[in-house]
Amino acid sequence: MKIAIYPGSFDPVTYGHLDIIERAAKLFDRLIVLVSINPVKPSTFSTEERVDFLRKSTSVIENIEIDSSSGLLIDYFKKKNADVIVKGLRAMSDFEYEFQMALINKDMYQKAETVFLSANSASMFLSSSAMKQIAMFGGDISAFVPDCIAKDIIKRLKIN
Ligand code: ADP
């Protein structure tokens, strides 16, 4: 049984993340999507909201678990006896940081292999932060997030 962990801030989840989630769920027996609580990177949405948005958006996927953690990814990886860390790669922007993290994680624990899935062309330039700016000004975010969470995102972010 191959267990993969897909970590990120998911602040909030977008179709870009969901594309990676759907593909990774097909590649591995079990996929844990991990909302990372990072004390030096403040988030717009609470951990509970980010977990809830992910649960609503992935309810049809059977071999998935949504969790959150405030500790080191590698400690969580060991605790779950996982096999792979999954990351998504967009255009050039993610490469250097993600490459560095993959090497650091492997240095800390040799068994920790990182697998990169390339973003699909439709969400290559999609980020949670760009989507949030559009929502803040009352723009249409239906191309970026599923309907089941779009209203809640707009309600929380729209100015006035
Ligand atoms: P961000 O806050 O930059 O949107 P996250 O920390 O939530 O990113 O991202 C978690 C993982 O998902 C990272 O591996 C990131 O590269 C990947 N990711 C984010 N957005 C996309 C996208 N549009 N397409 C593919 N992968 C993505």
Side-chain angles (χ1 to χ4, degrees), residues 135-138 154-160:
M136 238 192 290
F137 296 107
I154 289 169
K155 205 160 77 189
R156 275 276 270 102
L157 295 183
K158 197 173 168 196
I159 302 165
N160 298 322

Side-chain angles (χ1 to χ4, degrees), residues 6-12 14-17 19-20 41 86-90 94 98 117-120 123-129:
Y6 177 32
S9 40
F10 305 105
D11 187 33
T14 67
Y15 277 134
H17 300 121
D19 172 57
I20 301 293
K41 190 178 165 196
V86 171
K87 302 292 325 235
L89 278 188
R90 288 163 292 189
D94 291 322
E98 296 296 359
L117 297 180
S118 67
N120 67 22
S123 50
M124 190 58 98
F125 295 100
L126 173 55
S127 66
S128 300
S129 46

Side-chain angles (χ1 to χ4, degrees), residues 6 8-22 33 35 45-46 49-58 64 66 126-129 131-132 141 143-150 153:
Y6 177 32
S9 40
F10 305 105
D11 187 33
V13 61
T14 67
Y15 277 134
H17 300 121
L18 289 171
D19 172 57
I20 301 293
I21 288 173
E22 279 166 21
V33 181
V35 174
F45 292 94
S46 69
E49 285 174 310
R50 288 182 279 156
V51 166
D52 181 54
F53 288 151
L54 274 161
R55 291 214 170 111
K56 283 184 178 146
S57 309
T58 60
I64 199 170
I66 315 294
L126 173 55
S127 66
S128 300
S129 46
M131 187 278 293
K132 285 186 279 192
I141 55 166
F144 311 128
V145 299
D147 285 349
C148 61
I149 65 170
I153 292 172

Side-chain angles (χ1 to χ4, degrees), residues 5-155:
I5 299 178
Y6 177 32
S9 40
F10 305 105
D11 187 33
V13 61
T14 67
Y15 277 134
H17 300 121
L18 289 171
D19 172 57
I20 301 293
I21 288 173
E22 279 166 21
R23 288 156 60 199
K26 283 182 194 147
L27 289 172
F28 302 100
D29 300 304
R30 181 141 197 85
L31 177 68
I32 303 171
V33 181
L34 186 68
V35 174
S36 309
I37 305 165
N38 185 343
V40 294
K41 190 178 165 196
S43 62
T44 306
F45 292 94
S46 69
T47 308
E48 292 71 27
E49 285 174 310
R50 288 182 279 156
V51 166
D52 181 54
F53 288 151
L54 274 161
R55 291 214 170 111
K56 283 184 178 146
S57 309
T58 60
S59 58
V60 295
I61 303 174
E62 281 175 5
N63 58 337
I64 199 170
E65 180 188 332
I66 315 294
D67 199 3
S68 61
S69 164
S70 57
L72 265 184
L73 171 62
I74 212 65
D75 291 335
Y76 186 91
F77 184 94
K78 286 181 194 166
K79 191 175 84 186
K80 291 285 173 178
N81 206 9
D83 300 280
V84 165
I85 297 166
V86 171
K87 302 292 325 235
L89 278 188
R90 288 163 292 189
M92 301 306 287
S93 57
D94 291 322
F95 180 77
E96 204 170 320
Y97 175 74
E98 296 296 359
F99 195 61
Q100 181 188 25
M101 290 312 297
L103 292 181
I104 289 173
N105 283 325
K106 193 145 172 56
D107 276 351
M108 286 193 287
Y109 187 50
Q110 279 300 306
K111 264 185 73 188
E113 292 294 351
T114 300
V115 167
F116 295 105
L117 297 180
S118 67
N120 67 22
S121 49
S123 50
M124 190 58 98
F125 295 100
L126 173 55
S127 66
S128 300
S129 46
M131 187 278 293
K132 285 186 279 192
Q133 290 205 17
I134 296 168
M136 238 192 290
F137 296 107
D140 179 7
I141 55 166
S142 60
F144 311 128
V145 299
D147 285 349
C148 61
I149 65 170
K151 269 203 198 96
D152 286 340
I153 292 172
I154 289 169
K155 205 160 77 189

